[in-house]
Amino acid sequence: MEPCHWCRNTAPFVWQCRCGLRICQTCMDENFWGLSCNGITWVCPDCGEQNGFGNQ
């Protein structure tokens, strides 16, 4: 398991961008307001790429 880039904790699941940034679910929940405007995609704060939540 790879650690979250923000809190450094390891989790069974992390959101990962193609650039390699990893965000655990807790950090995603806490920062959702700044990472997603539609609940379908999230924008990587490092590279600006849009990533899907896979809930479509």
Side-chain angles (χ1 to χ4, degrees):
M1 287 189 290
E2 297 290 333
C4 172
H5 276 103
W6 288 351
C7 68
R8 301 290 181 210
N9 292 328
T10 56
F13 174 79
V14 293
W15 296 98
Q16 185 165 338
C17 180
R18 290 178 283 280
C19 74
L21 178 83
R22 292 179 304 276
I23 305 172
C24 71
Q25 187 63 54
T26 301
C27 288
M28 181 62 80
D29 290 344
E30 291 172 357
N31 297 282
F32 184 80
W33 61 271
L35 298 173
S36 179
C37 64
N38 59 17
I40 297 171
T41 60
W42 61 277
V43 176
C44 176
D46 280 2
C47 72
E49 281 288 320
Q50 286 195 353
N51 299 279
F53 281 114
N55 59 355
Q56 295 184 45

